[in-house]
Amino acid sequence: MEIIVQGKGKEFFTPNEVTLNFTFTIKGQTYEEVLREGVKNVQYFVDELLLQNNFEKENLKTRNFVIKEETRYDNLTHQNIFEGFSFNQYATLKFDYDKEKLATMMVSISKLDNAPMCQVDFGVKDEKDCRKKILAKAYKDAEEQALAIAEAAGKCLKQCAKVDFKPFTSDYHSRARYGSDIMYAEKAVAGVAQTIANTFTPEDIVLTETLYCLWNAE
């Protein structure tokens, strides 16, 4: 007798890592101008914020860098009107979660000239360990279900013959993903560090996983 069951694992994790997502933006009339001022603005950020808060410049990781022509569509002339160029650099900064440190960083950012936009994400550092815990729960849940079905049928549950991440099909391939989506986000704003530290309490991260298990019973 074959028994196919769906096991689900769910676990709550306390965030222990912070990711600051920055967007540096500069606009000007020439390519050379926005490139020069954009690089200058990022360097100013590194000197005045990162280095002053015990980070290294290498800690700021660039995800994307774009200089593009800006246009506006004129409904009267049905033409695109040139409005200059824009510099956009997207970067991230990760560090161990510490609400006092986070509060200090946000206050420092708010005081910068032409401060970049900032979004705060909370996550977990030990993703592999978290995933192992969830998968173990999912497997245990599948085993308990298979055991209940076998007993109801008057059978003895034997070994698990197959495990996959989606229902068994002939064209199956695993699409297992460990999701660490944005659980909590706020824009950086000016304020008192202690007030920020008291109000920025990240929600627990809820992660789930599903396993499909094939068991043999006799």
Side-chain angles (χ1 to χ4, degrees), residues 67-153:
I67 295 179
K68 64 180 181 178
E69 184 177 293
E70 296 290 339
T71 60
R72 173 180 56 83
Y73 185 74
D74 191 316
N75 291 317
L76 295 178
T77 63
H78 302 291
Q79 293 180 336
N80 288 320
I81 308 301
F82 173 75
E83 293 194 330
F85 292 86
S86 66
F87 169 102
N88 294 280
Q89 182 169 331
Y90 307 93
T92 60
L93 176 68
K94 292 186 179 182
F95 54 92
D96 293 347
Y97 174 58
D98 180 298
K99 62 182 180 180
E100 299 294 340
K101 185 174 184 178
L102 174 60
T104 299
M105 288 289 292
M106 295 185 69
V107 170
S108 298
I109 293 169
S110 71
K111 294 179 179 179
L112 292 175
D113 294 332
N114 195 26
M117 293 183 62
C118 178
Q119 178 176 287
V120 183
D121 298 343
F122 297 95
V124 291
K125 295 175 60 178
D126 48 345
E127 293 185 356
K128 289 184 178 180
D129 289 339
C130 292
R131 188 167 184 265
K132 286 180 181 179
K133 292 180 181 179
I134 302 169
L135 290 174
K137 279 194 170 184
Y139 184 84
K140 185 64 176 179
D141 180 52
E143 183 180 27
E144 291 175 351
Q145 292 184 60
L147 181 60
I149 293 172
E151 291 179 346

Side-chain angles (χ1 to χ4, degrees), residues 6-10 134-135 137-142 145 208-212:
Q6 173 184 291
K8 292 186 176 182
K10 182 178 181 180
I134 302 169
L135 290 174
K137 279 194 170 184
Y139 184 84
K140 185 64 176 179
D141 180 52
Q145 292 184 60
T208 61
E209 188 62 89
T210 299
L211 290 177
Y212 294 86

Side-chain angles (χ1 to χ4, degrees), residues 97 99 103 122 184 186 192-202:
Y97 174 58
K99 62 182 180 180
F122 297 95
Y184 188 95
E186 291 288 344
V192 181
Q194 190 57 52
T195 301
I196 295 175
N198 291 336
T199 57
F200 269 72
T201 302

Side-chain angles (χ1 to χ4, degrees), residues 125-190:
K125 295 175 60 178
D126 48 345
E127 293 185 356
K128 289 184 178 180
D129 289 339
C130 292
R131 188 167 184 265
K132 286 180 181 179
K133 292 180 181 179
I134 302 169
L135 290 174
K137 279 194 170 184
Y139 184 84
K140 185 64 176 179
D141 180 52
E143 183 180 27
E144 291 175 351
Q145 292 184 60
L147 181 60
I149 293 172
E151 291 179 346
K155 303 289 185 177
C156 180
L157 189 68
K158 299 298 182 179
Q159 75 278 5
C160 178
K162 187 177 181 180
V163 178
D164 277 313
F165 290 97
K166 64 182 297 186
F168 300 129
T169 59
S170 59
D171 61 346
Y172 170 75
H173 65 279
S174 175
R175 292 184 180 178
R177 299 189 308 168
Y178 179 81
S180 55
D181 297 333
I182 296 175
M183 310 300 168
Y184 188 95
E186 291 288 344
K187 285 186 177 180
V189 295

Side-chain angles (χ1 to χ4, degrees), residues 41-68:
N41 187 45
V42 175
Q43 185 60 53
Y44 172 76
F45 176 85
V46 170
D47 294 338
E48 298 298 322
L49 187 129
L50 290 190
L51 300 182
Q52 297 300 320
N53 285 277
N54 299 317
F55 288 101
E56 301 293 334
K57 62 179 182 179
E58 291 78 12
N59 296 139
L60 186 68
K61 306 295 185 181
T62 298
R63 292 190 297 121
N64 197 6
F65 172 82
V66 179
I67 295 179
K68 64 180 181 178

